[in-house]
Amino acid sequence: MATTQKTVGSGLAAPVRLWSGPEEPETESARHSLSAPRRCEELAPHYDLTLSHPAVDMDSFRAFDAWLAKAAAARGLTCCLFHDDNVEEATRRLRAGRLQCGFHLDYYALWHVPDDPYARLAQAVHDRGGRTINVPERSREFTNKAQAHVQLLEHGFGVPLSVRVPSGSMAEWVQTPSLSLRLDGSETLFIKPANGFGSRGIVCVEHCDRERLLAAWENARQFDAGDDYIVQRLVTWPRLSGDDGIERNAYWRVFYCLGELIPFWWAKQETGFAGPSYRRLTGAEIKRLRLQPLLAYAEDLAGLCGMNWFSTEICLSDGDEPSRYQAPGPDGRMRPLVAIDYVNDQCDVDVQSRCPGSPPDALIRHVAERFAEAALVRKNTLPFGAAVFPSHNRAA
Ligand SMILES: Nc1ncnc2c1ncn2[C@@H]1O[C@H](COP(=O)(O)OP(=O)(O)O)[C@@H](O)[C@H]1O
Ligand SMILES: [Mg+2]
């Protein structure tokens, strides 16, 4: 694996590396598969590496699952996929001490839904001494946009001007809006469910006044009427030239995976946009465009949220949001780096060769190997039987 040591300061225990692995698509066909018992009797008493998503064979997980299975087999790890047919039983067995999971990758938990089966599963793994890729409590806090916003703001990370509107109270809020957001038709605002993802429930309101905001909110809340919402000011960003001479939005998605930063130029798949969403931001581009603070932002965010696997969307803002992290625009003027989407924990692991909006195949194969490696380390440092169960286990 090719890596370079990064020089920006870190609040993390170990130095963070910038991944500089291959860019070319992965062509090798994936033939390995994860064990995915459909009948609960087939569940083994322990697994070194587990993964959860609702169905066994899902297009968007096929390549990742196969690489994970291959990387696990190469390390002699036992694996299992938890899905809709076995998730409840697996959780029961974990709680009863009849199942142990060494290292678990959640892919479907809705952290804010009290009885969500995949959130309960991850919590049970964690409570019974297994390692979850992210501690459930951390995911719950930082994937909630309203809560993460407060944390980031307090710690000097650039964020769009935003206001949290508690569930159901938009009608009152528009009568006494925050002093900072104007509702006089002069601004474009976004409404976002605090626990939304994949653009679901997000409404962009141009020339936003009270009536337009309320109408848009009626629409937005169809997604999740019980959730809190944030109302956020539109941020705009300039374009910068890549080393290939192509101008792109100064908007990046940075992955953080177990101590590595993997930054990409990123553009949403929208009508009229035909290219791939991700293109690697190279070390040479970081140097020439003086984007080291972008990496520092993502690295410090990793330190703040304490998560091992997440992505963040960060842009170079044309606005004047306060931010500890600044970089020059095309005119040389320093601008704030601002996160648009703070922390995504269930990062897309579909592959670009199948879906242009997904990350490059090489990245997905790489992270699958890193997860298997982490599961092996976990297995070697804390073999089954030696797990220390915390005394504050939550009830199943
Ligand atoms: N304040 C904003 N200014 C400009 N664009 C935004 C803003 N908020 C969201 N967007 C656009 O909408 C997309 C979806 O919003 P995001 O916060 O990423 O939600 P999700 O969690 O659903 O991905 C972003 O990727 C970005 O393109
Ligand atoms: Mg997003």
Side-chain angles (χ1 to χ4, degrees):
M1 175 184 68
T3 55
T4 52
Q5 202 74 28
K6 197 164 76 61
T7 50
V8 288
S10 168
L12 298 164
V16 169
R17 295 167 301 172
L18 178 63
W19 184 56
S20 55
E23 182 71 39
E24 68 272 11
E26 178 57 52
T27 50
E28 181 194 336
S29 65
R31 289 184 201 87
H32 289 72
S33 61
L34 295 167
S35 135
R38 287 181 196 270
R39 295 180 331 131
C40 296
E41 312 84 85
E42 293 164 12
L43 283 169
H46 68 249
Y47 295 103
D48 301 318
L49 174 59
T50 53
L51 170 73
S52 57
H53 54 70
V56 176
D57 192 19
M58 297 174 72
D59 290 343
S60 55
F61 284 95
R62 193 165 297 128
F64 174 70
D65 285 0
W67 283 323
L68 190 68
K70 184 178 177 187
R75 291 163 179 81
L77 301 172
T78 53
C79 305
C80 180
L81 170 68
F82 295 128
H83 51 89
D84 283 355
D85 294 343
N86 61 22
V87 61
E88 302 281 3
E89 178 63 17
T91 306
R92 262 193 298 277
R93 289 185 183 202
L94 278 157
R95 291 284 177 210
R98 293 195 292 130
L99 172 63
Q100 286 182 306
C101 299
F103 188 92
H104 179 63
L105 282 165
D106 163 72
Y107 254 92
Y108 247 77
L110 293 172
W111 301 114
H112 67 299
V113 174
D115 276 330
D116 179 77
Y118 291 96
R120 292 177 67 240
L121 171 75
Q123 189 68 53
V125 172
H126 178 74
D127 290 348
R128 304 304 286 178
R131 182 172 171 200
T132 47
I133 182 69
N134 294 316
V135 172
E137 212 46 60
R138 291 285 170 156
S139 285
R140 186 170 293 115
E141 178 173 6
F142 279 91
T143 59
N144 178 314
K145 295 178 202 299
Q147 288 184 31
H149 181 87
V150 173
Q151 289 283 341
L152 268 67
L153 194 63
E154 261 181 36
H155 290 88
F157 292 85
V159 285
L161 186 66
S162 310
V163 173
R164 171 174 166 263
V165 182
S167 156
S169 63
M170 187 72 81
E172 294 131 64
W173 182 75
V174 294
Q175 300 310 323
T176 51
S178 135
L179 300 173
S180 41
L181 285 176
R182 293 191 299 271
L183 294 183
D184 58 3
S186 64
E187 293 193 321
T188 298
L189 301 179
F190 282 81
I191 306 176
K192 304 183 184 184
N195 290 288
F197 52 88
S199 290
R200 280 176 260 180
I202 294 196
V203 182
C204 174
V205 194
E206 293 176 352
H207 310 294
C208 192
D209 58 17
R210 287 187 170 76
E211 288 78 62
R212 289 172 77 93
L213 185 66
L214 275 179
W217 183 64
E218 283 306 326
N219 214 344
R221 69 198 292 254
Q222 310 285 322
F223 174 69
D224 188 344
D227 205 354
D228 292 345
Y229 278 75
I230 61 173
V231 179
Q232 189 171 82
R233 183 185 280 166
L234 169 94
V235 176
T236 61
W237 43 83
R239 286 166 73 81
L240 293 172
S241 279
D243 280 356
D244 55 3
I246 295 177
E247 271 199 358
R248 295 183 170 82
N249 290 340
Y251 195 114
W252 302 274
R253 187 185 288 271
V254 184
F255 288 90
Y256 178 84
C257 181
L258 294 161
E260 272 181 356
L261 290 173
I262 313 163
F264 290 90
W265 298 93
W266 189 77
K268 207 160 93 167
Q269 293 283 305
E270 286 173 308
T271 329
F273 178 75
S277 283
Y278 290 80
R279 181 187 167 272
R280 184 81 64 77
L281 175 69
T282 66
E285 287 169 333
I286 291 167
K287 207 167 157 199
R288 179 175 59 79
L289 297 168
R290 294 161 51 203
L291 290 175
Q292 290 87 352
L294 171 70
L295 303 182
Y297 190 124
E299 179 178 351
D300 293 345
L301 180 57
L304 178 71
C305 70
M307 291 164 63
N308 291 310
W309 170 228
F310 68 90
S311 77
T312 179
E313 292 169 43
I314 302 173
C315 73
L316 191 58
S317 168
D318 286 326
D320 58 359
E321 295 85 356
S323 179
R324 281 201 279 144
Y325 309 88
Q326 310 260 331
D331 52 4
R333 178 171 70 79
M334 295 304 280
R335 294 160 197 246
L337 285 156
V338 168
I340 296 289
D341 196 3
Y342 310 137
V343 174
N344 297 284
D345 69 334
Q346 293 154 349
C347 307
D348 185 5
V349 288
D350 202 350
V351 286
Q352 203 169 71
S353 59
R354 195 191 80 84
C355 171
S358 292
D361 300 37
L363 170 76
I364 301 309
R365 182 176 189 165
H366 174 66
V367 297
E369 281 177 3
R370 301 239 40 227
F371 296 142
E373 196 55 36
L376 179 63
V377 170
R378 165 69 181 65
K379 179 181 180 174
N380 290 340
T381 50
L382 198 59
F384 285 115
V388 181
F389 296 155
S391 54
H392 55 273
N393 288 350
R394 287 168 28 147

